[in-house]
Amino acid sequence: MLSWPPPALWLQEFLADKSQRALLSILAAGPIPQHVAFVMDGNRRYARMHHQEVQQGHAEGYVALRRMLEICMRLGVRCVSVYSFSIENFKRSPKEVEALMDLAEEKLIELCQHGELLEEYGVRLNVVGKKELLPVRVQLAVEKAEHLTAKNDRSILNLCMPYTSRDEMATAVQFAVQEALENDDQDAEITEKDIDAHLMTTLAGSPPLDILVRTSGVKRLSDYLLWQCSENTQIQFSSAYWPDFGLWDFLPILLDFQRKDIISALSFAVEWRKGCPRQNWPRSERYRRGRRKNRERGRVARICMGLRDRLDVILTSRNHIQEVVFNSEWQVYEAKDGEETCKFDRVIKLARERLPQIIGLQELTLESRVKQVTS
Amino acid sequence: MSWLTYTVLCFIHALYSIYKSVSSYWKRFDHAPQPLNAPRTKLPTHLALLLVPDDDSPFEQQKDDMLQTVEHVASWCKDAGIEKVSVYDREGLLQDSSMDLRDRLQDADDSPNSSTESEPEYPLTPPLSDVSESRTLTPEMLPPALQLYTIRIPSSPSKRKRDTRNIVKRRKPNSSERKPEIQPITLHLISRSTGKPAVAKVAQHFLQIHAQSKPHALDLSITLEDVGTCLEGERGLPPPDLMIVHDMRPHTRHRPLELHGFPPWQVRLTEFYQTRPDPLPTTCREDEVGSSSSILAESEFRRALDEFSTAEMRLGK
C-alpha cells in the first residue's frame, strides 16, 4: 500500500489542526469550566494491549497529557489538575517506580522550557502533594520547573505527585489547627471553609472544581480530590485509556457541562420572571447576557451569574472597576480594577450604591431574553 | 461572526441531544441483570445509596418516595446478603423521618421471630461543648460522634425457595443450634453534616486536645490515621464499597454523576453506579407495576451489583 506523499500528509495534518481549532473556538462561545481534573489511568493496560513495555505506555500518556493540556488552554480553562502519581503507587515494582521518576524528571524540565507549551499559554506549574517522598533529583527538578513558570498568570497546571486526597485533607486539618493555635484565640471555631482554605490545591490558587474525568472505564475516585469534587462537580467516567484520550472523548464531557449551565440559566430566567425577590435568588445558577448601555446614566452594566454561589457583577464606570465577584452573601470575593486588584472597601461601597439600579436593569434584560428563548 | 458561532454551537448541542436519546434507548436492549440472590464473585460489605429528592413534587410525595425506596433497598439487601447500608440525602429528610422509616421497616418484616432490636440509634453525644467546660475533662477525650442515625433491622429467614440440591438432609435442629441464615442489616441515615462539617468538627476536637496539653506547640503532628480513626472508626461512618446514585427527578437523570455533598473522606475507593434515565417517559417496567418512576427500580439495583462484581481493584499497584 502506498503511503501518503509528504506534502499531502502535511496538508492532512494542517487541515486536522485547523478544524480542531475551529471546533474549540465554537465550543469556547458557550460556558467553559474553570477547573478540570484528569485521572490519567490506563497507561499500563494500553501498553499491554499494544504489546509494549509499561514505560512506553507512560511515555504515550505524557503525549496525551500535552494534547489535553493544549486543548484545555485553547478553550480557556483556567486550571487543569492531573493525577500523575499516587502515594500508593510507591507499592509498584521498583523498576517501574524508577522509570516513572526518570520520566517525571525529564518531562518536568521539558514542559517548562522557553518556547514550550507552558510558556506559550502562560501556565503556572504547581506540583501538589507530599514532595518529600520524591527522590532528591526529582525534588530539584520540581523546584526548578516551578521557578521557571512562577511568573505565568493566565492559567494553572496542578501536577499531583505524589498525592492522595486523604493526605491532603489530613494536612489541611493539621494546618487549620496550627493556625488556630498560633492565633491563640480561645473561642476559635474551625469551619469547613478553614479546611478548604488549607487544601494544597486552594493554596496553589485553584478555583473550585467543575469537572473530574477518569479514563480507562474505572468508576472510582481512588483518593483523588475527594473534598473538591464532593459538591457541584460533574464526575465523568470515560472508557478510553488515557493515551487514547483526545478531543472526541472530551467533547461529550464538555457538552454535558454546557447543558447543565444552560438549563440552570433558563430555569433561573423563568424564576426571575415570576418576580423572585433578591433574597430568594436560587443558588448555583448561571446565565450570560449581552451588554446593555444605560444611556441615561452613561454607565454600562453587564451581569453574569457565576457557578455555585457567586454572582459576578461587572461595573464599568468613571471609577473604572471592571469586575466584581460576589458570593451569595454579597461578600466580595474578588475584584479587579483594570489590571490591579482594587481595595475591597471601595468596591463594596460602590456596589451597594449601584446594585438597586443593576437589579432593575437585570429584570428588563432577563424578561426580554426569556421572551427570545421561550418563543 | 458571533451569531454564526452560537448557531453552530446550538446545532452541535442538538445533535448531541439526539445522540444521547438514541443511546439511552438502545440501552434498554442490554442483557438483563442477574437475580438478587445469584452468586456473584464479589459483594459489597457496605452499600451506600445517594438519593436526590425531586424538589418539584410536593413534600409529602418526596418523603413517601424516599421512604419507599429505602424500604425496597433494605429488603433487596437482605436477599442479596449485604449487611450494611447507608442512605444519604443532602438535606437530612430521611433523618427527620427516621421514626416513620423504622415503623415501615418493622411492618415489612412480619416474621414472628423478629426481635425488638430495631430502635433507631441517634447520635451519641451532642455537638461539642464550649471550651471552658471541656478544659475540666480528662485529656483522653473521645472523638466527636458523626451525625448518623442507625437502625438495625433484625434478620428473618428468607421465605424464598432455596436451592436444596446439595444440602444433606438433617433432622430438624433445636432452636438453640439454629444459625440465622441472614445477618441483621445495619442501616445508617446520613446527611451533609456527616461530611465536610464533620471533618471540621474533628479539627476542632484536635484543637481542643492540643490547646489543653500544649497550648503553643507548633510541632504538633496530626496524621492521616488520626483523622481516619475519628471519621471511620466506631463513632464514625465506615467507607462504602459501592454507591448507587439515584436522582429521583426523572428529567435530570441523564446528567453526569455528582456527589451532592456526600462525605468526602469515606469515598476513597468506592465504586459508583448511577441509575439510568428512563428511555421513554411512559415505560412501564415489568417488575414494578404501579410504582412511580422516582423510586429506584430493582433491575437497576441488580445491575449495580453485577457491575461491582466485575470491577478490578488494584490499590495503587
Side-chain angles (χ1 to χ4, degrees):
Chain A
M1 185 176 154
L2 291 174
S3 58
W4 285 96
L9 189 61
W10 172 85
L11 187 66
Q12 192 184 21
E13 282 177 7
F14 176 76
L15 286 172
D17 184 56
K18 283 293 169 199
S19 50
Q20 195 200 72
R21 282 182 190 259
L23 179 60
L24 290 174
S25 57
I26 290 168
L27 290 168
I32 291 294
Q34 291 230 324
H35 185 175
V36 180
F38 293 101
V39 181
M40 306 191 290
D41 198 14
N43 293 337
R44 293 185 296 173
R45 278 169 281 166
Y46 173 88
R48 277 198 287 272
M49 201 170 79
H50 289 83
H51 309 291
Q52 291 169 344
E53 288 288 321
V54 162
Q55 287 86 314
Q56 182 62 24
H58 289 306
E60 301 274 348
Y62 170 73
V63 172
L65 168 60
R66 287 182 63 103
R67 184 170 63 230
M68 286 315 302
L69 192 56
E70 187 153 17
I71 288 171
C72 289
M73 293 303 127
R74 284 184 186 168
L75 279 170
V77 175
R78 266 186 60 204
C79 180
V80 176
S81 299
V82 292
Y83 199 8
S84 319
F85 195 84
S86 165
I87 296 175
E88 303 287 319
N89 291 150
F90 280 117
K91 290 184 207 164
R92 292 185 181 178
S93 68
K95 185 179 161 202
E96 192 185 339
V97 174
E98 192 63 26
L100 280 166
M101 291 296 130
D102 289 338
L103 186 71
E105 190 187 353
E106 183 195 334
K107 299 303 179 188
L108 270 170
I109 301 301
E110 185 189 301
L111 263 180
C112 306
Q113 289 302 342
H114 179 67
E116 262 292 327
L117 190 63
L118 296 193
E119 190 181 282
E120 187 187 342
Y121 292 102
V123 184
R124 190 176 80 235
L125 177 76
N126 293 318
V127 174
V128 170
K130 214 165 177 159
K131 291 180 259 198
E132 52 269 24
L133 295 177
L134 293 169
V136 175
R137 59 189 170 98
V138 183
Q139 287 187 40
L140 290 171
V142 161
E143 228 176 273
K144 187 171 172 195
E146 282 181 337
H147 177 71
L148 280 171
T149 55
K151 294 209 173 70
N152 296 343
D153 59 357
R154 273 167 51 193
S155 310
I156 299 169
L157 170 63
N158 290 325
L159 214 57
C160 297
M161 58 180 252
Y163 173 92
T164 55
S165 185
R166 283 190 172 185
D167 175 70
E168 188 190 27
M169 287 194 272
T171 313
V173 164
Q174 179 173 321
F175 284 166
V177 172
Q178 273 177 342
E179 194 186 25
L181 284 173
E182 275 173 26
N183 293 340
D184 207 17
D185 183 1
Q186 303 300 336
D187 299 321
E189 193 190 327
I190 299 178
T191 63
E192 56 180 280
K193 287 199 166 76
D194 297 318
I195 309 278
D196 195 274
H198 285 100
L199 291 172
M200 293 177 198
T201 46
T202 318
L203 292 172
S206 312
L209 186 61
D210 289 314
I211 306 178
L212 189 146
V213 180
R214 173 138 195 183
T215 54
S216 83
V218 172
K219 294 191 179 176
R220 289 190 292 273
L221 290 172
S222 294
D223 225 340
Y224 187 53
L225 298 180
L226 301 176
W227 180 283
Q228 290 85 336
C229 73
S230 156
E231 280 178 302
N232 293 314
T233 303
Q234 293 187 339
I235 301 172
Q236 295 270 16
F237 300 113
S238 171
S239 52
Y241 293 137
W242 176 250
D244 287 326
F245 194 81
L247 179 57
W248 289 114
D249 302 290
F250 192 51
L251 183 61
I253 293 170
L254 204 53
L255 292 174
D256 279 335
F257 176 80
Q258 293 192 335
R259 274 152 63 102
K260 174 188 171 186
D261 228 43
I262 291 166
I263 290 168
S264 300
L266 285 180
S267 58
F268 175 74
V270 169
E271 276 300 316
W272 188 263
R273 196 180 179 206
K274 289 178 192 167
C276 184
R278 178 163 64 110
Q279 58 266 28
N280 294 338
W281 282 3
R283 296 179 180 212
S284 309
E285 305 293 353
R286 179 170 191 151
Y287 82 100
R288 194 174 284 149
R289 70 166 183 87
R291 192 175 276 190
R292 286 291 181 98
K293 282 201 174 163
N294 186 336
R295 289 196 177 85
E296 289 173 13
R297 299 165 204 272
R299 284 180 295 211
V300 173
R302 185 173 82 177
I303 300 172
C304 305
M305 291 285 278
L307 278 175
R308 285 175 285 284
D309 300 325
R310 292 185 342 177
L311 175 69
D312 298 351
V313 176
I314 301 180
L315 312 166
T316 60
S317 68
R318 52 184 173 270
N319 296 290
H320 304 296
I321 292 172
Q322 287 181 352
E323 184 176 351
V324 176
V325 176
F326 287 91
N327 63 12
S328 60
E329 283 89 44
W330 296 98
Q331 292 164 3
V332 177
Y333 174 75
E334 188 185 82
K336 284 183 200 155
D337 178 5
E339 295 302 309
E340 290 170 284
T341 307
C342 60
K343 293 196 179 157
F344 285 178
D345 50 0
R346 176 168 157 233
V347 170
I348 289 171
K349 181 172 165 260
L350 284 164
R352 283 198 182 129
E353 283 167 20
R354 285 193 209 125
L355 277 166
Q357 291 97 21
I358 288 165
I359 290 165
L361 259 170
Q362 189 178 10
E363 274 177 330
L364 249 176
T365 52
L366 262 173
E367 197 146 6
S368 58
R369 179 162 173 81
V370 166
K371 278 186 196 149
Q372 277 169 27
V373 158
T374 56
S375 61
Chain B
M1 296 277 264
S2 63
W3 62 266
L4 179 65
T5 316
Y6 281 121
T7 314
V8 176
L9 185 60
C10 290
F11 179 66
I12 293 174
H13 272 282
L15 282 178
Y16 184 58
S17 301
I18 294 170
Y19 164 75
K20 292 255 304 200
S21 310
V22 168
S23 63
S24 158
Y25 178 76
W26 276 114
K27 280 186 178 148
R28 292 180 70 198
F29 301 107
D30 273 354
H31 295 299
Q34 291 182 30
L36 275 174
N37 56 4
R40 293 182 170 92
T41 46
K42 234 177 5 168
L43 261 188
T45 333
H46 180 191
L47 173 79
L49 177 65
L50 196 160
L51 295 176
V52 185
D54 187 359
D55 291 330
D56 294 332
S57 65
F59 179 75
E60 284 303 319
Q61 177 71 33
Q62 279 179 46
K63 189 173 123 183
D64 193 59
D65 284 345
M66 287 174 77
L67 292 179
Q68 214 175 336
T69 303
V70 177
E71 210 186 307
H72 288 167
V73 166
S75 136
W76 298 332
C77 287
K78 267 194 218 170
D79 289 338
I82 299 170
E83 294 166 8
K84 268 190 269 187
V85 184
S86 297
V87 188
Y88 172 91
D89 76 291
R90 192 191 161 92
E91 305 298 330
L93 214 148
L94 283 170
Q95 287 182 335
D96 296 337
S97 324
S98 56
M99 298 301 288
D100 289 339
L101 183 60
R102 188 205 63 167
D103 294 337
R104 279 187 179 227
L105 290 168
Q106 267 190 332
D107 291 342
D109 183 21
D110 54 3
S111 160
N113 293 329
S114 70
S115 66
T116 51
E117 289 171 17
S118 59
E119 291 293 324
E121 290 172 21
Y122 296 99
L124 294 171
T125 59
L128 293 173
S129 53
D130 65 6
V131 179
S132 57
E133 280 183 26
S134 64
R135 281 180 184 269
T136 58
L137 291 174
T138 60
E140 292 289 311
M141 282 173 61
L142 291 170
L146 265 58
Q147 287 281 323
L148 41 101
Y149 290 36
T150 307
I151 298 177
R152 291 196 207 284
I153 306 166
S155 64
S156 61
S158 169
K159 294 197 173 54
R160 289 197 186 183
K161 200 170 173 191
R162 293 223 159 225
D163 185 357
T164 55
R165 279 175 294 175
N166 294 327
I167 293 177
V168 172
K169 287 204 171 179
R170 295 195 182 107
R171 63 180 173 81
K172 199 173 173 184
N174 296 329
S175 56
S176 56
E177 292 170 5
R178 188 186 327 179
K179 287 182 193 162
E181 286 180 353
I182 310 162
Q183 297 298 320
I185 295 181
T186 309
L187 177 71
H188 296 299
L189 302 175
I190 47 180
S191 67
R192 193 185 178 273
S193 57
T194 323
K196 290 182 178 177
V199 179
K201 277 200 189 144
V202 165
Q204 185 73 18
H205 161 75
F206 283 121
L207 175 64
Q208 288 184 341
I209 291 181
H210 288 279
Q212 277 185 354
S213 53
K214 302 171 204 163
H216 298 290
L218 295 176
D219 55 346
L220 76 96
S221 151
I222 297 172
T223 63
L224 204 150
E225 286 75 26
D226 296 333
V227 181
T229 315
C230 292
L231 289 169
E232 287 180 336
E234 279 176 12
R235 290 156 70 89
L237 177 71
D241 302 311
L242 170 64
M243 186 192 305
I244 300 177
V245 179
H246 181 60
D247 192 339
M248 302 180 88
R249 305 165 294 185
H251 53 278
T252 53
R253 217 171 281 160
H254 58 273
R255 287 196 191 167
L257 174 68
E258 284 194 37
L259 292 180
H260 303 278
F262 194 92
W265 185 272
Q266 282 82 351
V267 291
R268 180 173 76 113
L269 293 174
T270 307
E271 286 281 328
F272 295 106
Y273 178 85
Q274 190 179 14
T275 52
R276 297 178 188 180
D278 283 330
L280 298 166
T282 53
T283 306
C284 188
R285 290 181 289 267
E286 289 157 10
D287 47 356
E288 284 98 43
V289 175
S291 67
S292 131
S293 64
S294 294
I295 296 169
L296 180 64
E298 188 181 332
S299 55
E300 291 294 310
F301 186 83
R302 288 185 277 151
R303 213 180 290 277
L305 292 182
D306 287 345
E307 269 194 32
F308 180 78
S309 66
T310 56
E312 189 195 334
M313 288 276 192
R314 287 179 299 278
L315 297 169
K317 295 196 196 116

